[in-house]
Amino acid sequence: MTLLNQKYTSVEDAIAMIPDGASIMVGGFGSPGTPFALLEELLAQGQKGLTLIKNDANEPEIGIGRLIRAGRVDRLITSHIGLNRVAIEEMNQGRLAVEMYPQGLLAEKIRCAGAGHLGFLTDIGLETEIAQQRRELELNGRKCAIEPAITADFALIHADVADTYGNLAYRGTAINFNPLMAMAADKVIAQAFRVETPGGLKPEAIHTPCAFVNHVVQVDPATIEQGIRAHAV
């Protein structure tokens, strides 16, 4: 059993727990909320054969775009890849399997897993390409389809502030997919710009309780911003 005071660790040790072939949820909507430091360490350590679940594919030179460019991702579950020309090329060449869902469906599939459900019923996308390979049924006189929930081995999360227990608080739009994914994965690794001692976060300020978080690392926001600018050039 992981002790509360053992959740605070180095980025190297946290990412070293991820094996080849792992499925990984990655928080973020574009850049806001994306755990760039964790992704850079994942790139540096060399894990391959990964399945990534993220709202988008980032751009080619930042975030998960760098993992895709390096050939480390076998499968991507997402809502769009239009800003990443490399991901599009890899998909067209058959080197990257891409599974796309409308953004609302993707979010609900993740939320549903975090709530402990196996899936949900929806009428979204009936008789369209979205409905391919979905099981359909009738409920109360209405036609609907079953959407399975999505889980993952790991979730990589970005928070603004954390404490050593693993409680997380997000800032602004970074709250997007992060709290949903923190509840839907088997193990959660969170990066934060500041890590407080126990009691440093007011209970009402906590968005993700420590029960969902396995490991917390502290990262330097200046280093992340410099890295994004450098890779974007």
Side-chain angles (χ1 to χ4, degrees):
M1 180 177 179
T2 300
L3 298 177
L4 290 175
N5 62 2
Q6 292 180 333
K7 291 186 177 182
Y8 183 53
T9 186
S10 69
V11 64
E12 294 84 2
D13 288 346
I15 295 300
M17 301 174 192
I18 300 176
D20 290 348
S23 58
I24 308 171
M25 290 183 174
V26 181
F29 186 108
S31 291
T34 296
F36 289 109
L38 299 181
L39 293 171
E40 283 298 302
E41 183 61 27
L42 186 61
L43 181 69
Q45 290 194 14
Q47 289 91 330
K48 59 185 184 296
L50 302 173
T51 293
L52 298 187
I53 301 133
K54 191 179 188 297
N55 174 65
D56 56 275
N58 287 130
E59 297 176 43
E61 295 299 337
I62 65 172
I64 71 167
R66 285 168 50 74
L67 288 163
I68 293 171
R69 179 185 283 276
R72 307 271 282 286
V73 183
D74 286 356
R75 183 180 176 217
L76 175 65
I77 300 173
T78 186
S79 69
H80 69 92
I81 61 173
L83 296 178
N84 191 325
R85 65 184 184 280
V86 174
I88 294 171
E89 178 65 20
E90 292 294 293
M91 177 183 69
N92 290 338
Q93 295 298 320
R95 293 187 290 264
L96 174 66
V98 177
E99 189 175 323
M100 284 198 280
Y101 296 95
Q103 190 174 87
L105 282 184
L106 180 64
E108 182 61 13
K109 286 164 79 71
I110 296 168
R111 188 209 66 81
C112 207
H117 301 304
L118 299 179
F120 61 96
L121 300 179
T122 181
D123 60 357
I124 295 173
L126 292 177
E127 300 179 0
T128 71
E129 292 183 3
I130 298 171
Q132 292 179 0
Q133 299 182 347
R134 293 198 307 192
R135 180 184 171 189
E136 297 182 354
L137 51 82
E138 188 173 297
L139 180 65
N140 297 329
R142 296 181 59 182
K143 188 176 180 181
C144 56
I146 299 173
E147 275 289 354
I150 293 178
T151 60
D153 301 322
F154 293 86
L156 303 184
I157 302 301
H158 169 79
D160 184 52
V161 185
D163 64 23
T164 54
Y165 280 176
N167 294 303
L168 308 179
Y170 310 105
R171 182 180 180 183
T173 57
I175 201 170
N176 47 58
F177 277 82
N178 284 295
L180 299 181
M181 291 180 171
M183 295 176 65
D186 293 338
K187 293 183 179 179
V188 176
I189 301 170
Q191 67 170 50
F193 291 149
R194 190 170 81 251
V195 179
E196 302 279 0
T197 56
L201 285 175
K202 294 181 179 179
E204 62 270 21
I206 295 169
H207 297 113
T208 295
C210 61
F212 297 107
V213 179
N214 298 92
H215 303 285
V216 175
V217 305
Q218 185 165 1
V219 298
D220 183 351
T223 301
I224 294 174
E225 291 172 3
Q226 291 169 4
I228 292 173
R229 287 197 297 269
H231 295 315
V233 173

